[in-house]
Every structure is written in C-alpha cells, then in structure tokens.
Amino acid sequence: MAQHRIGSTVVMDAIAWWAYFTERDTVRAISQSHDAPGHGGSSWMTREPMTVGPDEDTESALSTMLDHGFRHLPVVENGEVIGIVSIRDLAG
C-alpha cells in the first residue's frame, strides 16, 4: 500500500469481495501485536464495512465518513465493489 501510495484496498476472492484493509488496520495491527508481521492480513482487516451505492449523494457519503471516523468507503452496486471513495475525494 505504501509503495503505491494508497490508504485502503478491497480484499477479494475469485468470486466476490469480503473485506477491506486500510492504513488504520495496519496501525491497529502494529499497536496490538508484538508479532503483527507473523499474522495474516485476515487477522486485521475490516470485515463487512459500511458501504455506499453509486447514486449516493456527496453530502450523504461525507456525512457517513465523518460520523463514523472513516477515510474511505467502498462503493458497491449489486453486491460488487465498483470503486472506493475517499474523504479527500469528497472534501475537495
């Protein structure tokens, strides 16, 4: 993530998405475990995160992020992730 300068990523299998991994998950992993690198990412990722639909208005998505302390929200349509919106996208 650091190499590509991204703050979050969607975790998927061959069929569907099932979790979300953020820079905050990394910080949490390091702060809670002396052996974070020895644990798989599944130990730290955010499962079943809140999402928004593609027709969600900007104010509503931003409000969701601010109310819950998120910096990223997956955009989901018909059960598929079609993007990620960041607070930077909405605050500009």
Side-chain angles (χ1 to χ4, degrees):
M1 290 171 55
Q3 181 179 15
H4 295 285
R5 301 189 63 181
I6 57 173
S8 64
T9 188
V10 175
V11 180
M12 302 178 72
D13 63 18
I15 299 170
W17 78 287
W18 54 279
Y20 185 62
F21 192 80
T22 70
E23 59 200 1
R24 286 186 177 177
D25 292 328
T26 303
V27 170
R28 184 169 39 92
I30 292 168
S31 69
Q32 293 180 0
S33 175
H34 295 289
D35 185 29
H39 293 84
S42 63
S43 299
W44 309 111
M45 63 183 71
T46 302
R47 296 179 189 278
E48 300 181 22
M50 292 184 75
T51 64
V52 293
D55 297 327
E56 189 84 24
D57 64 76
T58 302
E59 288 182 26
S60 177
L62 182 59
S63 178
T64 297
M65 293 172 125
L66 294 173
D67 290 349
H68 298 282
F70 302 150
R71 290 186 276 182
H72 304 90
L73 277 175
V75 181
V76 176
E77 183 174 42
N78 299 322
E80 293 185 33
V81 176
I82 59 171
I84 296 176
V85 65
S86 75
I87 200 160
R88 189 178 319 158
D89 296 331
L90 301 178

